[in-house]
Amino acid sequence: MGMTMTQKILAAHAGQKSVKAGDLIEADLDLVLGNDITSPVAIKEIDKMKKEGVFDKDKIALVMDHFIPNKDIKSAEHCKCVRDFAMKHDITNYFDVGQMGIEHALIPEKGLAVAGDVIIGADSHTCTYGALGAFSTGVGSTDMAAGMATGKAWFKVPSAIKFNITGKFNKWVSGKDLILHIIGMIGVDGALYKSMEFTGDGIINLSMDDRFTIANMAIEAGGKNGIFPIDDATIVYMNEHSDRKYTIYEADDDAVYDEEYTIDLGSLKSTVSFPHLPENTKTIDEVGDVRVDQAVIGSCTNGRISDLREAAAILKGRKVAKNLRCIVIPATQEIYLQAVREGIVETFIEAGAVVSTPTCGPCLGGYMGILAAGERCVATTNRNFVGRMGHVDSEVYLASPAVAAASAVTGKISSPADL
Amino acid sequence: MKAKGHVFKYKDNVDTDVIIPARYLNSSDPKELATHCMEDIDKDFVKKVNEGDIIVAEKNFGCGSSREHAPIAIKAAGVSCVIAETFARIFYRNAINIGLPIIECKEAAHGIEAGDEVEIDFDSGMIYNRTKGTRFQGQAFPEFMQKIISSGGLINYINS
């Protein structure tokens, strides 16, 4: 029986010729990742272990990104705990204020994830690196601790859903709209425990940033991972960012999938997820009159340079609506600097938006844009659960950078085409 | 191993943000996390929960963030077991790793109501609804999982 792309990567890392869905395997890890919220819990666990030290100081990445620059004393204590651990174990890839970025934008940018890798991260959006043809998945802090100590993790080999992508996006439609469309179609548990494997002749029309956005939100359909085949764009990206050796795995022609869907990119419209689940999707023409108090453009889902360029193209020469706060968060220092050099930051500030240092802040209701009771936000982030961005009676609407920017101008959820 | 307590009942897609909101994730102290457990879905939970009580929910319990603080808060609040029709996969792993018993059982998830008194025998996987006089066959806990739970989590289990 043929294997999926994910199954091939897992088999190779378990030292087995083949695996099948449901098998329990132990795999070697190429990278173990944690942030300032999840790492302190992992460090507490690793300190309890009888085994001393970490498996490989070059294969651990600790990224301070959620509540930094420290929002309060407790967050500062958390970061200090991780910083001390990183110093003690001489962790090569420790990223603090000044070097950090939102982890899932930073790790590919630093060349720490490449095709064929097996990566675990104590952050659910670790599935992002599937865009590069890696198997990467979110775990908890205890798994992170065990991974840092041993360089191994156990997995149940997943079955897969195949998404055959054809065609080309229309103007203002992007990777965010595709993944929201898919989540709306299969539901927030539609891919529970499974791989989401993307394939088809439309992949070539997806930029790397689109692919990162799509793989990033596999978890919002319950997926264990999302994964893309490797093409010229992937190889160009890896050569630009990494000197690590990559391995290309391809799904077998006779690989078995639980379900298969075909999606024509040209048939998609801008898509918005209504509160309080990412599956509550509507196309932009079905949205109606939804007034918003805040627009957030950023996050591990949509804080990359092409996202900022798209938002800036809409905000250029326009003003943010009266009584609306527009918060733009470049995902890494490099993206921030690029945005400064291209004049994008100037465009945002002239439009009346604020531009923040990289942080996960508002996405998870941490800081830097918390909502009051009754307020609404249109955000390029990834979750719109109850209380996600602040008060339990606030609301988050998930959308693309184009829709978030257009909405910032009009003060209600809008299509850029209507400006 | 057995558990017995009264039931708190929830529906589909209870996410880890409502189990423990991110505004409290500047702490990793189980006791402190427990004081905010379920706060954004059931603000009276912490006032009402007693040692040994049981959470029963429907589909996709624990979806969203990978925060291990979620099962830690539930366990530290005194909950002895979570029963659901299905669990989100990261929550499932995390719960086992920290030693919080969880059982997937569709029939129990639909046959148990809030306030019912429920008893669980982890050796056999049998779930008894003492209030209604019904019972459901859940999956028995494999021995290693029982050991993880009785050791207080994966790391203690590895050490022992």
Side-chain angles (χ1 to χ4, degrees), chain A residues 74 141-143 154 388, chain B residues 17 26 32 68 93 104 159:
Chain A
K74 285 181 179 173
S141 297
T142 300
D143 278 323
W154 66 266
R388 174 75 179 176
Chain B
D17 276 85
N26 55 5
E32 193 177 338
E68 205 158 288
R93 259 184 111 100
E104 275 191 346
N159 283 338

Side-chain angles (χ1 to χ4, degrees), chain A residues 398-409:
Chain A
L398 305 176
S400 67
V403 166
S407 308
V409 172

Side-chain angles (χ1 to χ4, degrees), chain B residues 27-43:
Chain B
S27 171
S28 51
D29 173 24
K31 281 192 192 124
E32 193 177 338
L33 293 169
T35 63
H36 300 293
C37 187
M38 310 304 278
E39 188 171 299
D40 282 359
I41 189 173
D42 182 355
K43 62 180 179 352

Side-chain angles (χ1 to χ4, degrees), chain A residues 44-45 48-50 72 74 78 123 137-143 154 188 193 364 383 385 388 392, chain B residues 13 15 17 22 25-26 28 32 40 60 64-69 87 89-90 93-94 97 104 155 159:
Chain A
K44 214 188 275 181
E45 292 299 311
K48 281 194 225 160
M49 290 186 84
K50 287 179 182 159
D72 55 23
K74 285 181 179 173
H78 269 177
D123 188 284
T137 193
V139 296
S141 297
T142 300
D143 278 323
W154 66 266
V188 291
Y193 306 126
L364 76 162
R383 293 194 174 124
F385 300 151
R388 174 75 179 176
V392 287
Chain B
N13 303 315
D15 62 77
D17 276 85
L25 295 186
N26 55 5
S28 51
E32 193 177 338
D40 282 359
N60 204 24
S65 158
S66 68
R67 61 190 72 160
E68 205 158 288
H69 311 65
F87 290 91
R89 61 162 281 278
I90 304 177
R93 259 184 111 100
N94 288 348
N97 283 345
E104 275 191 346
I155 302 294
N159 283 338

